[in-house]
Amino acid sequence: MRDGFSRLQAKPVPDQITYLSDLLFALHGTYRSEQTEDIRNEATTLLLSIPGHAKYYQDKIEEMRAAVLADSKIPLEEIAKMQDRGQKINWEAEYLSYSTASLRTLRWMPSAETVSVLGHFLNDPEGRDGKTLLGNNVVHPGDDFQKRPANAEQATESIRLLGIEHPPFRNIDGRITDEEVDAWRDWWNEVKAGKRTYRFIGSKVEYGPDGPASMEVVQKAERDQKRDVEREAGHKKSVIATDSASTPIPGAVNDSLTFSGIIAACAAVAGALWYYLKRRTAA
């Protein structure tokens, strides 16, 4: 297999990426043995060493998306003529199929570049409103009529499998929910903004949005996280104190009412006594 990998390195980079990622996709779906694990580890190492191994898929998806949007504006009569001439038409179904396969392929590439690409699609609104790129109902391009996950949902399904330490959401039953998508999206946006760093399980390397983070970036992110935690704790204390101040204390209400009753009773007695003495004096 090493000879095959050596020959592969002589090919164009896009060919190397697609071959190795397809190989990994196939290996993860087969019976695991010592031999297949060796091949998988070697293929993974080689793939992750290629700059653009994940960005290639982002660029391809965005390129296809733009082409589909452009061709959707072509009148049907012109499309028919283009087909007669053998010209390529960029169909939405092809784009949906490719983006689905690509986002699933990225789960086998545990790298900072992959996290960045998946973070890009975590912020992608397409499909989250129940509509596809061209406004159709979100279903698979086939005939099964099953709901096709939005790009952000598929990115979530892949990023959760990369082995990131301390994930922002603990999935229990495997289902993708809006809550999990939003949790991963917010997590990535904090990484992108320099407010936090992350690392892969078993690694001591801290990563920021563009790769390994400097000590300065790590320390700044730790300070920001600590400040946010303290601010949140202070906010909760403030809310509790406000609620406590505005909520009558059981017993205090009764004591207040009892005291008011005594005052009223005293006033009534004083009034009666004054009235009695007045009548007596008059008599």
Side-chain angles (χ1 to χ4, degrees), residues 74-231:
I74 301 175
L76 292 177
E77 309 83 52
E78 182 60 29
I79 287 180
K81 293 177 182 178
M82 291 172 66
Q83 288 178 312
D84 290 340
R85 293 193 296 264
Q87 291 179 257
K88 176 177 173 52
I89 306 296
N90 295 287
W91 300 109
E92 184 184 42
E94 295 176 359
Y95 156 74
L96 295 175
S97 179
Y98 182 83
S99 61
T100 295
S102 297
L103 290 170
R104 287 177 178 173
T105 298
L106 290 170
R107 69 186 60 178
W108 312 125
M109 306 180 196
S111 71
E113 183 179 312
T114 299
V115 174
S116 177
V117 169
L118 292 174
H120 170 80
F121 287 105
L122 285 169
N123 284 283
D124 189 347
E126 182 191 319
R128 297 202 68 182
D129 61 352
K131 299 293 182 180
T132 65
L133 178 63
L134 300 183
N136 301 309
N137 290 329
V138 179
V139 295
H140 282 298
D143 295 326
D144 52 8
F145 295 104
Q146 294 179 14
K147 179 182 180 296
R148 175 191 177 273
N151 286 342
E153 293 173 336
Q154 295 183 89
T156 299
E157 190 173 7
S158 288
I159 200 170
R160 64 151 72 145
L161 296 174
L162 288 182
I164 292 175
E165 196 171 70
H166 305 307
F169 190 92
R170 293 290 181 182
N171 189 282
I172 300 175
D173 60 8
R175 292 185 307 109
I176 299 292
T177 63
D178 287 340
E179 184 181 6
E180 183 177 6
V181 174
D182 292 342
W184 277 107
R185 180 200 62 200
D186 294 344
W187 173 88
W188 167 249
N189 288 341
E190 287 187 354
V191 172
K192 191 175 180 180
K195 294 182 177 180
R196 70 162 62 241
T197 58
Y198 68 93
R199 62 188 179 191
F200 294 99
I201 295 172
S203 172
K204 294 183 179 180
V205 179
E206 293 283 341
Y207 292 96
D210 303 314
S214 65
M215 183 58 66
E216 181 182 359
V217 171
V218 173
Q219 291 174 345
K220 179 182 181 302
E222 289 175 348
R223 288 196 301 270
D224 288 345
Q225 288 293 303
K226 183 178 179 181
R227 184 191 62 224
D228 290 344
V229 170
E230 291 174 348
R231 182 182 299 160

Side-chain angles (χ1 to χ4, degrees), residues 8-67:
L8 178 65
Q9 289 176 299
K11 294 181 177 296
V13 170
D15 292 346
Q16 294 181 41
I17 293 173
T18 53
Y19 175 83
L20 290 169
S21 57
D22 287 348
L23 176 61
L24 286 175
F25 193 88
L27 286 172
H28 279 280
T30 60
Y31 174 75
R32 292 197 170 191
S33 66
E34 185 176 346
Q35 183 181 11
T36 59
E37 284 299 288
D38 287 344
I39 295 173
R40 184 177 69 84
N41 291 334
E42 190 173 353
T44 300
T45 301
L46 182 55
L47 177 61
L48 299 187
S49 71
I50 301 174
H53 56 270
K55 189 67 163 51
Y56 167 81
Y57 288 103
Q58 177 182 330
D59 292 344
K60 185 68 175 177
I61 290 172
E62 294 298 351
E63 178 187 323
M64 292 183 70
R65 173 153 46 187

